[in-house]
Amino acid sequence: MELKPYQQDVIKDLENYLSYLQKHTNPSKAFNEFWTDRVGAYNPLTQVGMKPYKDNIPGAVHIAVKVPTAGGKTFIACNALYTINKFFNQGNAKAVVWLVPWSNLLQQTYNNLNNPSHPYREKINSLFGHKVEVYQKDQLLQGANFNPTSATEQLNIFVLNFSSLRIDKAKKEDRKIFQENAALEAFRDTIINKDLVLEGTDETALINVIRSLNPIVIVDESHNAESDLSVEMLKNLNPSMVLDLTATPKENSNIISFVSALKLKQEHMVKLPVVVYNHHKKEELVNSALHLQRQLELLAKEEETVTGKYIRPIILFQAQSNI
């Protein structure tokens, strides 16, 4: 399985941004110059250009990739890992926290990344010389095939969902990831950086092992991770870089690459016609959707008089959680 041309463009944009980051070392300066060179300086009066970098996760590079649904975000991320790892770890495979918002997506992502015959795992294996291990939360908590040696000599992908990590500061004892863990005792004097231990947690807590590894964080469906608790969740991981994957980026996203629905259609990733409109207000969106549904309904009734078959056009509004 190889990258489609538009997916290759995303990786090139990532490489390009990292080249700016290498020059400036500051993610904000790198991001702003990256876009200034492409589209010109941002003008707040005309809204022309890319808005300046938002430092959402201090101490970490935080960027986003906008790819429509069915655009192969996961496969893009698999390829991006190699590019990012080469920049931050000089090619020495380390830790990746792969975050997903829902339990069904958690199992699906784990199964795909863990299956040696799946294209995602085949690609990662080829990029990292087959020195790859994929873990779920329970495996990490039990120290199953996870030790100080494996943590530093291979690519370790921790597939977790938001709810495992997203918690109020005062309630850390309610999550096993924040609790003392005898199964991870071997990490205490080898991997764990005592200066990075979260307040109110034991050194052997899994969160402190992860923090000490300064992981790359992949956030799938990142538009679900914009609340204050979600930002705190990301900060707690002590990431070197956070890469957001989403079809609907939020206002505070630092987007380095866009993929249009048209590009997906040209690559036959989307079989149905795609019609896209931009709206500035929620009310405009709802009214436009209602108007389109009504037009389709009238056409459907005309079709019914000719063929006897009725198609019922509907509108689907997806409500996102604020948690």
Side-chain angles (χ1 to χ4, degrees):
M1 185 173 176
E2 297 301 324
L3 290 164
K4 301 284 186 183
Y6 71 85
Q7 295 172 328
Q8 293 176 14
D9 290 341
V10 173
I11 299 300
K12 288 176 183 175
D13 287 339
L14 173 62
E15 292 173 345
N16 193 17
Y17 171 73
L18 291 176
S19 71
Y20 280 83
L21 186 60
Q22 188 172 34
K23 174 183 174 183
H24 293 290
T25 68
N26 181 301
S28 178
K29 288 182 179 179
F31 181 84
N32 296 337
E33 187 171 308
F34 170 82
W35 278 111
T36 297
D37 288 349
R38 295 181 73 171
V39 298
Y42 173 67
N43 187 327
L45 297 177
T46 62
Q47 298 289 301
V48 173
M50 177 59 72
K51 291 182 179 179
Y53 182 86
K54 297 93 177 171
D55 193 13
N56 306 311
I57 314 295
V61 180
H62 190 189
I63 55 177
V65 171
K66 182 183 184 300
V67 181
T69 302
K73 293 192 295 293
T74 303
F75 190 59
I76 289 173
C78 291
N79 286 269
L81 283 180
Y82 181 72
T83 302
I84 296 170
N85 191 72
K86 202 164 50 170
F87 180 87
F88 283 97
N89 300 317
Q90 291 74 51
N92 299 314
K94 262 194 168 184
V96 174
V97 176
W98 199 300
L99 288 175
V100 298
W102 310 296
S103 57
N104 60 334
L105 185 55
L106 172 75
Q107 196 60 49
Q108 176 186 318
T109 301
Y110 172 77
N111 290 343
N112 292 343
L113 294 177
N114 193 49
N115 181 358
S117 61
H118 194 280
Y120 297 165
R121 181 58 180 269
E122 287 179 341
K123 174 55 69 173
I124 294 175
N125 278 343
S126 69
L127 293 172
F128 290 91
H130 293 264
K131 297 174 68 175
V132 181
E133 192 70 44
V134 182
Y135 302 91
Q136 286 183 303
K137 181 182 69 174
D138 289 346
Q139 294 170 300
L140 294 169
L141 291 171
Q142 295 164 13
N145 200 29
F146 180 58
N147 54 64
T149 301
S150 65
T152 56
E153 294 186 354
Q154 63 187 15
L155 180 70
N156 304 275
I157 303 178
F158 311 146
V159 184
L160 305 170
N161 61 7
F162 297 174
S163 61
S164 297
L165 295 159
R166 189 163 54 190
I167 191 168
D168 185 87
K169 288 181 179 179
K171 299 180 180 178
K172 289 191 174 71
E173 68 276 7
D174 294 343
R175 293 282 189 273
K176 291 184 178 180
I177 283 178
F178 293 93
Q179 295 173 2
E180 179 180 0
N181 192 332
L184 302 178
E185 183 67 33
F187 288 88
R188 187 189 293 272
D189 298 320
T190 52
I191 300 298
I192 293 171
N193 183 338
K194 294 177 175 55
D195 293 334
L196 295 176
V197 173
L198 278 179
E199 182 181 354
T201 66
D202 187 82
E203 289 180 5
T204 61
L206 176 57
I207 187 64
N208 292 321
V209 176
I210 295 174
R211 284 173 59 81
S212 299
L213 292 171
N214 197 209
I216 296 163
V217 177
I218 304 294
V219 187
D220 199 0
E221 304 292 348
S222 62
H223 52 277
N224 293 289
E226 300 296 330
S227 67
D228 290 343
L229 281 179
S230 295
V231 172
E232 185 70 21
M233 166 189 74
L234 294 174
K235 290 178 180 177
N236 283 340
L237 292 170
N238 184 41
S240 52
M241 170 179 269
V242 178
L243 177 63
D244 291 342
L245 307 172
T246 180
T248 55
K250 298 293 186 178
E251 277 293 314
N252 66 343
S253 298
N254 299 310
I255 304 171
I256 61 158
S257 190
F258 295 85
V259 175
S260 68
L262 180 60
K263 288 186 178 180
L264 266 65
K265 193 170 189 304
Q266 289 171 342
E267 292 297 327
H268 307 291
M269 299 291 283
V270 178
K271 305 298 182 183
L272 297 174
V274 176
V275 181
V276 180
Y277 299 100
N278 283 324
H279 295 282
H280 299 290
K281 295 182 179 179
K282 179 173 64 178
E283 293 76 10
E284 292 178 3
L285 172 65
V286 172
N287 289 333
S288 178
L290 290 170
H291 179 67
L292 180 58
Q293 187 276 339
R294 180 57 179 161
Q295 286 182 311
L296 292 173
E297 188 174 41
L298 293 173
L299 290 172
K301 289 181 178 179
E302 291 179 7
E303 182 75 11
E304 184 182 20
T305 60
V306 176
T307 65
K309 297 179 180 179
Y310 176 63
I311 299 172
R312 178 171 170 250
I314 64 171
I315 304 171
L316 174 63
F317 292 105
Q318 182 174 343
Q320 298 292 345
S321 172
N322 290 324
I323 297 176

PDB file of all heavy atoms in Angstrom, residues 6-7 9-10 66-71 247 257-267 269-270 274 276:
ATOM      1  N   TYR A   6      -2.081  12.975  -3.148  1.00  0.00           N
ATOM      2  CA  TYR A   6      -2.450  14.009  -2.187  1.00  0.00           C
ATOM      3  C   TYR A   6      -1.900  13.677  -0.800  1.00  0.00           C
ATOM      4  O   TYR A   6      -1.590  14.584  -0.009  1.00  0.00           O
ATOM      5  CB  TYR A   6      -3.972  14.213  -2.138  1.00  0.00           C
ATOM      6  CG  TYR A   6      -4.760  13.093  -1.504  1.00  0.00           C
ATOM      7  CD1 TYR A   6      -4.950  13.035  -0.125  1.00  0.00           C
ATOM      8  CD2 TYR A   6      -5.338  12.091  -2.282  1.00  0.00           C
ATOM      9  CE1 TYR A   6      -5.669  12.013   0.466  1.00  0.00           C
ATOM     10  CE2 TYR A   6      -6.063  11.067  -1.710  1.00  0.00           C
ATOM     11  CZ  TYR A   6      -6.219  11.028  -0.334  1.00  0.00           C
ATOM     12  OH  TYR A   6      -6.938  10.012   0.235  1.00  0.00           O
ATOM     13  N   GLN A   7      -1.751  12.392  -0.483  1.00  0.00           N
ATOM     14  CA  GLN A   7      -1.151  11.997   0.794  1.00  0.00           C
ATOM     15  C   GLN A   7       0.351  12.290   0.796  1.00  0.00           C
ATOM     16  O   GLN A   7       0.911  12.705   1.815  1.00  0.00           O
ATOM     17  CB  GLN A   7      -1.411  10.507   1.057  1.00  0.00           C
ATOM     18  CG  GLN A   7      -2.885  10.179   1.259  1.00  0.00           C
ATOM     19  CD  GLN A   7      -3.156   8.686   1.325  1.00  0.00           C
ATOM     20  OE1 GLN A   7      -2.472   7.881   0.679  1.00  0.00           O
ATOM     21  NE2 GLN A   7      -4.148   8.293   2.108  1.00  0.00           N
ATOM     22  N   ASP A   9       1.626  14.740  -0.748  1.00  0.00           N
ATOM     23  CA  ASP A   9       1.700  16.194  -0.565  1.00  0.00           C
ATOM     24  C   ASP A   9       1.661  16.566   0.921  1.00  0.00           C
ATOM     25  O   ASP A   9       2.336  17.505   1.353  1.00  0.00           O
ATOM     26  CB  ASP A   9       0.552  16.887  -1.307  1.00  0.00           C
ATOM     27  CG  ASP A   9       0.708  16.820  -2.823  1.00  0.00           C
ATOM     28  OD1 ASP A   9       1.835  16.580  -3.295  1.00  0.00           O
ATOM     29  OD2 ASP A   9      -0.311  16.993  -3.529  1.00  0.00           O
ATOM     30  N   VAL A  10       0.849  15.824   1.689  1.00  0.00           N
ATOM     31  CA  VAL A  10       0.777  16.085   3.125  1.00  0.00           C
ATOM     32  C   VAL A  10       2.131  15.813   3.780  1.00  0.00           C
ATOM     33  O   VAL A  10       2.614  16.619   4.595  1.00  0.00           O
ATOM     34  CB  VAL A  10      -0.321  15.222   3.786  1.00  0.00           C
ATOM     35  CG1 VAL A  10      -0.273  15.371   5.312  1.00  0.00           C
ATOM     36  CG2 VAL A  10      -1.700  15.605   3.274  1.00  0.00           C
ATOM     37  N   LYS A  66      -5.432  18.691   7.940  1.00  0.00           N
ATOM     38  CA  LYS A  66      -6.860  18.634   7.624  1.00  0.00           C
ATOM     39  C   LYS A  66      -7.077  17.716   6.428  1.00  0.00           C
ATOM     40  O   LYS A  66      -6.675  18.026   5.306  1.00  0.00           O
ATOM     41  CB  LYS A  66      -7.399  20.035   7.310  1.00  0.00           C
ATOM     42  CG  LYS A  66      -8.891  20.077   7.005  1.00  0.00           C
ATOM     43  CD  LYS A  66      -9.327  21.488   6.626  1.00  0.00           C
ATOM     44  CE  LYS A  66     -10.832  21.576   6.400  1.00  0.00           C
ATOM     45  NZ  LYS A  66     -11.305  20.687   5.323  1.00  0.00           N
ATOM     46  N   VAL A  67      -7.698  16.574   6.685  1.00  0.00           N
ATOM     47  CA  VAL A  67      -7.968  15.587   5.640  1.00  0.00           C
ATOM     48  C   VAL A  67      -9.431  15.167   5.743  1.00  0.00           C
ATOM     49  O   VAL A  67      -9.884  14.771   6.826  1.00  0.00           O
ATOM     50  CB  VAL A  67      -7.068  14.344   5.786  1.00  0.00           C
ATOM     51  CG1 VAL A  67      -7.346  13.342   4.670  1.00  0.00           C
ATOM     52  CG2 VAL A  67      -5.598  14.738   5.776  1.00  0.00           C
ATOM     53  N   PRO A  68     -10.202  15.237   4.659  1.00  0.00           N
ATOM     54  CA  PRO A  68     -11.614  14.852   4.724  1.00  0.00           C
ATOM     55  C   PRO A  68     -11.795  13.397   5.152  1.00  0.00           C
ATOM     56  O   PRO A  68     -10.883  12.568   5.011  1.00  0.00           O
ATOM     57  CB  PRO A  68     -12.102  15.059   3.281  1.00  0.00           C
ATOM     58  CG  PRO A  68     -11.134  16.018   2.677  1.00  0.00           C
ATOM     59  CD  PRO A  68      -9.819  15.722   3.316  1.00  0.00           C
ATOM     60  N   THR A  69     -12.958  13.098   5.670  1.00  0.00           N
ATOM     61  CA  THR A  69     -13.309  11.728   6.012  1.00  0.00           C
ATOM     62  C   THR A  69     -13.113  10.827   4.797  1.00  0.00           C
ATOM     63  O   THR A  69     -13.447  11.199   3.684  1.00  0.00           O
ATOM     64  CB  THR A  69     -14.773  11.668   6.483  1.00  0.00           C
ATOM     65  OG1 THR A  69     -14.926  12.545   7.610  1.00  0.00           O
ATOM     66  CG2 THR A  69     -15.167  10.257   6.874  1.00  0.00           C
ATOM     67  N   ALA A  70     -12.546   9.649   5.023  1.00  0.00           N
ATOM     68  CA  ALA A  70     -12.229   8.667   3.978  1.00  0.00           C
ATOM     69  C   ALA A  70     -10.967   9.031   3.203  1.00  0.00           C
ATOM     70  O   ALA A  70     -10.661   8.433   2.186  1.00  0.00           O
ATOM     71  CB  ALA A  70     -13.392   8.471   3.000  1.00  0.00           C
ATOM     72  N   GLY A  71     -10.199  10.006   3.736  1.00  0.00           N
ATOM     73  CA  GLY A  71      -8.977  10.426   3.053  1.00  0.00           C
ATOM     74  C   GLY A  71      -7.731   9.666   3.459  1.00  0.00           C
ATOM     75  O   GLY A  71      -6.651   9.944   2.956  1.00  0.00           O
ATOM     76  N   ALA A 247     -10.927  16.111  10.019  1.00  0.00           N
ATOM     77  CA  ALA A 247     -11.589  16.655   8.837  1.00  0.00           C
ATOM     78  C   ALA A 247     -12.198  18.016   9.131  1.00  0.00           C
ATOM     79  O   ALA A 247     -12.524  18.770   8.216  1.00  0.00           O
ATOM     80  CB  ALA A 247     -12.675  15.688   8.371  1.00  0.00           C
ATOM     81  N   SER A 257      -1.217  21.513   6.530  1.00  0.00           N
ATOM     82  CA  SER A 257      -1.555  20.905   5.242  1.00  0.00           C
ATOM     83  C   SER A 257      -3.059  20.704   5.129  1.00  0.00           C
ATOM     84  O   SER A 257      -3.707  20.257   6.086  1.00  0.00           O
ATOM     85  CB  SER A 257      -0.839  19.556   5.089  1.00  0.00           C
ATOM     86  OG  SER A 257      -0.961  19.062   3.779  1.00  0.00           O
ATOM     87  N   PHE A 258      -3.598  21.056   3.957  1.00  0.00           N
ATOM     88  CA  PHE A 258      -5.021  20.889   3.665  1.00  0.00           C
ATOM     89  C   PHE A 258      -5.180  19.878   2.531  1.00  0.00           C
ATOM     90  O   PHE A 258      -4.410  19.898   1.566  1.00  0.00           O
ATOM     91  CB  PHE A 258      -5.646  22.205   3.194  1.00  0.00           C
ATOM     92  CG  PHE A 258      -5.680  23.296   4.211  1.00  0.00           C
ATOM     93  CD1 PHE A 258      -4.584  24.120   4.405  1.00  0.00           C
ATOM     94  CD2 PHE A 258      -6.816  23.528   4.973  1.00  0.00           C
ATOM     95  CE1 PHE A 258      -4.610  25.153   5.322  1.00  0.00           C
ATOM     96  CE2 PHE A 258      -6.854  24.560   5.904  1.00  0.00           C
ATOM     97  CZ  PHE A 258      -5.749  25.381   6.074  1.00  0.00           C
ATOM     98  N   VAL A 259      -6.187  19.046   2.638  1.00  0.00           N
ATOM     99  CA  VAL A 259      -6.559  18.172   1.525  1.00  0.00           C
ATOM    100  C   VAL A 259      -8.022  18.457   1.207  1.00  0.00           C
ATOM    101  O   VAL A 259      -8.877  18.404   2.093  1.00  0.00           O
ATOM    102  CB  VAL A 259      -6.380  16.682   1.873  1.00  0.00           C
ATOM    103  CG1 VAL A 259      -6.886  15.801   0.736  1.00  0.00           C
ATOM    104  CG2 VAL A 259      -4.908  16.381   2.163  1.00  0.00           C
ATOM    105  N   SER A 260      -8.312  18.754  -0.044  1.00  0.00           N
ATOM    106  CA  SER A 260      -9.687  19.047  -0.426  1.00  0.00           C
ATOM    107  C   SER A 260     -10.442  17.765  -0.763  1.00  0.00           C
ATOM    108  O   SER A 260      -9.842  16.745  -1.124  1.00  0.00           O
ATOM    109  CB  SER A 260      -9.705  19.979  -1.643  1.00  0.00           C
ATOM    110  OG  SER A 260      -9.214  19.299  -2.790  1.00  0.00           O
ATOM    111  N   ALA A 261     -11.767  17.829  -0.664  1.00  0.00           N
ATOM    112  CA  ALA A 261     -12.601  16.686  -1.027  1.00  0.00           C
ATOM    113  C   ALA A 261     -12.445  16.357  -2.517  1.00  0.00           C
ATOM    114  O   ALA A 261     -12.545  15.194  -2.924  1.00  0.00           O
ATOM    115  CB  ALA A 261     -14.059  16.987  -0.699  1.00  0.00           C
ATOM    116  N   LEU A 262     -12.167  17.378  -3.317  1.00  0.00           N
ATOM    117  CA  LEU A 262     -11.992  17.156  -4.751  1.00  0.00           C
ATOM    118  C   LEU A 262     -10.809  16.235  -5.031  1.00  0.00           C
ATOM    119  O   LEU A 262     -10.866  15.378  -5.910  1.00  0.00           O
ATOM    120  CB  LEU A 262     -11.793  18.504  -5.464  1.00  0.00           C
ATOM    121  CG  LEU A 262     -11.587  18.430  -6.986  1.00  0.00           C
ATOM    122  CD1 LEU A 262     -12.787  17.784  -7.664  1.00  0.00           C
ATOM    123  CD2 LEU A 262     -11.342  19.841  -7.547  1.00  0.00           C
ATOM    124  N   LYS A 263      -9.732  16.404  -4.264  1.00  0.00           N
ATOM    125  CA  LYS A 263      -8.564  15.537  -4.458  1.00  0.00           C
ATOM    126  C   LYS A 263      -8.890  14.084  -4.149  1.00  0.00           C
ATOM    127  O   LYS A 263      -8.405  13.176  -4.818  1.00  0.00           O
ATOM    128  CB  LYS A 263      -7.399  16.029  -3.590  1.00  0.00           C
ATOM    129  CG  LYS A 263      -6.762  17.308  -4.086  1.00  0.00           C
ATOM    130  CD  LYS A 263      -5.536  17.676  -3.274  1.00  0.00           C
ATOM    131  CE  LYS A 263      -4.877  18.938  -3.825  1.00  0.00           C
ATOM    132  NZ  LYS A 263      -3.674  19.321  -3.038  1.00  0.00           N
ATOM    133  N   LEU A 264      -9.736  13.876  -3.140  1.00  0.00           N
ATOM    134  CA  LEU A 264     -10.154  12.510  -2.829  1.00  0.00           C
ATOM    135  C   LEU A 264     -10.966  11.924  -3.966  1.00  0.00           C
ATOM    136  O   LEU A 264     -10.795  10.762  -4.345  1.00  0.00           O
ATOM    137  CB  LEU A 264     -10.989  12.497  -1.543  1.00  0.00           C
ATOM    138  CG  LEU A 264     -10.240  12.220  -0.242  1.00  0.00           C
ATOM    139  CD1 LEU A 264      -9.259  13.332   0.070  1.00  0.00           C
ATOM    140  CD2 LEU A 264     -11.224  12.027   0.900  1.00  0.00           C
ATOM    141  N   LYS A 265     -11.839  12.747  -4.528  1.00  0.00           N
ATOM    142  CA  LYS A 265     -12.680  12.278  -5.627  1.00  0.00           C
ATOM    143  C   LYS A 265     -11.823  11.948  -6.854  1.00  0.00           C
ATOM    144  O   LYS A 265     -12.065  10.948  -7.542  1.00  0.00           O
ATOM    145  CB  LYS A 265     -13.728  13.329  -5.979  1.00  0.00           C
ATOM    146  CG  LYS A 265     -14.844  12.821  -6.887  1.00  0.00           C
ATOM    147  CD  LYS A 265     -15.964  13.828  -6.991  1.00  0.00           C
ATOM    148  CE  LYS A 265     -17.159  13.232  -7.719  1.00  0.00           C
ATOM    149  NZ  LYS A 265     -16.827  12.725  -9.053  1.00  0.00           N
ATOM    150  N   GLN A 266     -10.812  12.765  -7.116  1.00  0.00           N
ATOM    151  CA  GLN A 266      -9.929  12.517  -8.260  1.00  0.00           C
ATOM    152  C   GLN A 266      -9.161  11.214  -8.106  1.00  0.00           C
ATOM    153  O   GLN A 266      -8.826  10.563  -9.101  1.00  0.00           O
ATOM    154  CB  GLN A 266      -8.947  13.687  -8.409  1.00  0.00           C
ATOM    155  CG  GLN A 266      -9.599  14.970  -8.893  1.00  0.00           C
ATOM    156  CD  GLN A 266      -8.671  16.164  -8.826  1.00  0.00           C
ATOM    157  OE1 GLN A 266      -7.647  16.142  -8.126  1.00  0.00           O
ATOM    158  NE2 GLN A 266      -9.006  17.224  -9.548  1.00  0.00           N
ATOM    159  N   GLU A 267      -8.887  10.823  -6.865  1.00  0.00           N
ATOM    160  CA  GLU A 267      -8.177   9.570  -6.602  1.00  0.00           C
ATOM    161  C   GLU A 267      -9.142   8.406  -6.357  1.00  0.00           C
ATOM    162  O   GLU A 267      -8.726   7.336  -5.921  1.00  0.00           O
ATOM    163  CB  GLU A 267      -7.259   9.732  -5.388  1.00  0.00           C
ATOM    164  CG  GLU A 267      -6.092  10.663  -5.619  1.00  0.00           C
ATOM    165  CD  GLU A 267      -5.145  10.167  -6.691  1.00  0.00           C
ATOM    166  OE1 GLU A 267      -4.985   8.939  -6.810  1.00  0.00           O
ATOM    167  OE2 GLU A 267      -4.575  11.002  -7.419  1.00  0.00           O
ATOM    168  N   MET A 269     -11.249   7.977  -4.080  1.00  0.00           N
ATOM    169  CA  MET A 269     -11.435   7.624  -2.675  1.00  0.00           C
ATOM    170  C   MET A 269     -12.875   7.872  -2.250  1.00  0.00           C
ATOM    171  O   MET A 269     -13.352   7.312  -1.269  1.00  0.00           O
ATOM    172  CB  MET A 269     -10.490   8.454  -1.800  1.00  0.00           C
ATOM    173  CG  MET A 269      -9.020   8.240  -2.083  1.00  0.00           C
ATOM    174  SD  MET A 269      -8.448   6.614  -1.588  1.00  0.00           S
ATOM    175  CE  MET A 269      -8.319   6.822   0.185  1.00  0.00           C
ATOM    176  N   VAL A 270     -13.561   8.748  -2.983  1.00  0.00           N
ATOM    177  CA  VAL A 270     -14.968   9.045  -2.729  1.00  0.00           C
ATOM    178  C   VAL A 270     -15.737   8.770  -4.011  1.00  0.00           C
ATOM    179  O   VAL A 270     -15.435   9.350  -5.052  1.00  0.00           O
ATOM    180  CB  VAL A 270     -15.173  10.513  -2.303  1.00  0.00           C
ATOM    181  CG1 VAL A 270     -16.642  10.805  -2.085  1.00  0.00           C
ATOM    182  CG2 VAL A 270     -14.365  10.813  -1.050  1.00  0.00           C
ATOM    183  N   VAL A 274     -19.541  15.073  -4.517  1.00  0.00           N
ATOM    184  CA  VAL A 274     -19.232  15.862  -3.331  1.00  0.00           C
ATOM    185  C   VAL A 274     -19.509  17.328  -3.633  1.00  0.00           C
ATOM    186  O   VAL A 274     -18.988  17.884  -4.593  1.00  0.00           O
ATOM    187  CB  VAL A 274     -17.750  15.695  -2.923  1.00  0.00           C
ATOM    188  CG1 VAL A 274     -17.424  16.614  -1.745  1.00  0.00           C
ATOM    189  CG2 VAL A 274     -17.461  14.238  -2.574  1.00  0.00           C
ATOM    190  N   VAL A 276     -19.464  21.019  -1.667  1.00  0.00           N
ATOM    191  CA  VAL A 276     -18.996  21.642  -0.433  1.00  0.00           C
ATOM    192  C   VAL A 276     -19.261  23.143  -0.469  1.00  0.00           C
ATOM    193  O   VAL A 276     -19.009  23.802  -1.480  1.00  0.00           O
ATOM    194  CB  VAL A 276     -17.480  21.404  -0.235  1.00  0.00           C
ATOM    195  CG1 VAL A 276     -17.006  22.060   1.045  1.00  0.00           C
ATOM    196  CG2 VAL A 276     -17.178  19.912  -0.212  1.00  0.00           C
TER     197      VAL A 276
END
